[in-house]
Each structure stands twice: as C-alpha cells, then as structure tokens.
Amino acid sequence: MIKTRKRGTLIVISAPSGAGKGTVISRLLEKENNLWLSVSATSRAPRTNDIEGVTYYFYSKEEFEDKIKEGYFLEYAEYAGNYYGTPKKFIEEKLNEGIDVILEIEIQGAMQIKKLIPEALFIFIMPPTLQELKRRLVGRNTDSKEKIIERFKIAYKEINEVSKYNYVVVNDEVDNAVSKIEAIIKAEKCRVDRIEEVLLSNEEEYIHELLVDMND
Ligand code: 5GP
C-alpha cells in the first residue's frame, strides 16, 4: 500500500575519543550486512593496530592538503593537530544501491555533513562516566601522556555538543549499545518522510468496490 524510498541511510556516528565507538561499530558491522563503513583519510601517524586502507588511508600533511584542493573530501576537519576527512567516492554509489553508510567522524565534520545532508542520521556515543573515559584513554597505551591529556580535554568539550545529534547512546555495555543503534536504524526506516507514494486511491468507486459486501 505504500512505497518507501529504497535509498540507504547515511549514519553519522561521533563519540569522544575513548568512548569505545570502535568496538561498538565493529560489532554492529558483524551483525548487520546492509551496512558499509566509510574508510577515512588522515594525516596522523599510523598506530600499531592501524592498517592502510582498512582503518585509514594515511597521507602526509601536504598530500592531504592537495586532496582538499582537489575537492576529494565530502567533509574534513583538524583534530588534535591532524587532518581527518571522508573521501567522497563510493558514498553516493552505496546509498543509491540501498546500502546504509556509516561515517565515524568527529563533531566538526559531523556538522559539515548536517549542512550538506540534513536528512542524515546523527548518533552520539557517550562513555558511561568521565572516570571510565580516562581509564580507556590511558589503557589504550598507544599515545603519549600529552596526547592523552589533549584528547581528554577535547572529549570533555565534545560531550557538551551532544544536543546537536538526533540520538545519544551510552556505551555502558557493548551489546547493549549495539542493539540500541540497531533499533535506531530500524526506526529510521519507518519514518513517514521516507514514503515516496501512498498506493491508495480515495475515489468513491474504489471505496464502494471494497465495501460492496457490506451493503447487503
Ligand atoms: P583517531 O586518531 O583516534 O583514530 O581519531 C580521532 C578522531 O577523528 C575521532 O573522533 C574520529 O571519529 C575522527 N575521525 C576519523 N575519521 C574522520 C573523518 O573522516 N572526518 C572527521 N571529521 N573526523 C574523523
């Protein structure tokens, strides 16, 4: 009776560094097969666990700036002294194929997307407490003390920006956070503004035909 838009949903997920969004998103991707995670580009140095083309595309600052000039990015931002950006290619293609696309990006980039694509879905993942956030940042053991302090200060500011998003998910327990995000995505598909056409005729004749057996 109704025809809804088949186009995929653009899902923007932000979280302060250390909120555990990486684990939440990996679990989500394992469970849902109609999801595609966009691989970002960055000028930051690779960490031990990073894999070129899988976690990020790594560029020098100069290479990144050349790409900005070329118009290669859908959005980009500077975060903790490095560039991060979403390559434009593939995103439109995936959405047209009906695949949902996840952008795992920080707030400045998310707000650029909000201007460009206001109908995108904006989800903020929150750490359960600031103590837990600190524990996760320190426990990661990959950054220097100065970097950890810098990231903690940025995270503290970011938490105040949560109201710019549509949904907030507290990551107290990974499975719990994942099922909340799945529910949000499902709900999004039911929004009335996805309806393209209501395949119903209001004509008297049609109603009469439908109700004919009731007139006996
Ligand atoms: P990390 O260095 O910990 O991998 O990422 C630092 C921050 O950059 C995270 O908040 C992450 O979400 C964000 N980020 C990763 N990719 C992008 C991107 O393409 N654009 C923007 N704006 N932020 C990104």
Side-chain angles (χ1 to χ4, degrees):
M1 279 201 301
I2 58 167
K3 191 173 156 217
T4 51
R5 233 181 320 139
K6 292 286 175 282
R7 192 175 152 81
T9 304
L10 184 63
I11 305 157
V12 176
I13 302 187
S14 302
S17 192
K21 69 176 171 306
T23 321
V24 170
I25 293 175
S26 321
R27 191 77 59 86
L28 190 64
L29 290 166
E30 279 164 24
K31 288 182 75 186
E32 298 283 326
N33 51 21
N34 195 43
L35 272 181
W36 181 76
L37 174 66
S38 159
V39 179
S40 295
T42 183
S43 67
R44 87 147 156 71
R47 296 190 189 122
T48 341
N49 295 336
D50 279 321
I51 304 169
E52 166 70 30
V54 177
T55 45
Y56 282 107
Y57 295 106
F58 292 94
Y59 296 113
S60 67
K61 195 165 177 265
E62 294 69 32
E63 284 170 333
F64 199 104
E65 285 170 349
D66 286 344
K67 297 239 171 249
I68 297 174
K69 283 185 207 133
E70 279 168 30
Y72 182 77
F73 297 113
L74 186 61
E75 63 70 37
Y76 72 92
E78 248 186 294
Y79 179 96
N82 295 300
Y83 285 122
Y84 293 85
T86 305
K88 267 185 202 159
K89 63 175 179 196
F90 303 133
I91 291 183
E92 196 52 28
E93 203 178 299
K94 297 280 175 193
L95 292 173
N96 281 336
E97 284 170 20
I99 297 169
D100 296 334
V101 172
I102 297 187
L103 304 185
E104 191 260 90
I105 62 177
E106 53 69 67
I107 295 182
Q108 305 166 69
M111 292 308 108
Q112 291 172 41
I113 300 289
K114 202 171 185 181
K115 277 204 188 116
L116 283 172
I117 309 162
E119 69 276 17
L121 177 59
F122 296 85
I123 303 176
F124 193 91
I125 300 181
M126 189 75 96
T129 61
L130 286 174
Q131 285 74 13
E132 178 60 16
L133 181 81
K134 181 186 157 205
R135 199 189 62 75
R136 289 181 192 169
L137 278 176
V138 174
R140 202 150 66 178
N141 234 349
T142 48
D143 291 323
S144 64
K145 192 174 158 200
E146 290 70 34
K147 275 276 166 212
I148 293 173
I149 294 172
E150 185 184 12
R151 279 171 181 262
F152 189 82
K153 285 184 180 164
I154 299 175
Y156 194 85
K157 275 198 202 129
E158 285 177 335
I159 289 171
N160 276 309
E161 313 261 359
V162 61
S163 58
K164 295 179 174 158
Y165 287 71
N166 304 119
Y167 295 93
V168 59
V169 171
V170 177
N171 184 19
D172 46 3
E173 207 270 312
V174 176
D175 285 337
N176 218 352
V178 170
S179 50
K180 281 183 193 163
I181 296 176
E182 287 177 303
I184 292 167
I185 298 173
K186 273 197 196 112
E188 189 67 15
K189 306 277 176 206
C190 302
R191 287 175 67 108
V192 287
D193 50 18
R194 284 182 73 89
I195 297 175
E196 273 181 345
E197 217 181 317
V198 179
L199 306 174
L200 257 188
S201 165
N202 271 331
E203 286 162 34
E204 286 280 319
E205 224 177 280
Y206 185 67
I207 295 174
H208 178 76
E209 233 175 79
L210 272 177
L211 302 181
V212 74
D213 57 337
M214 299 186 73
N215 290 334
D216 298 339

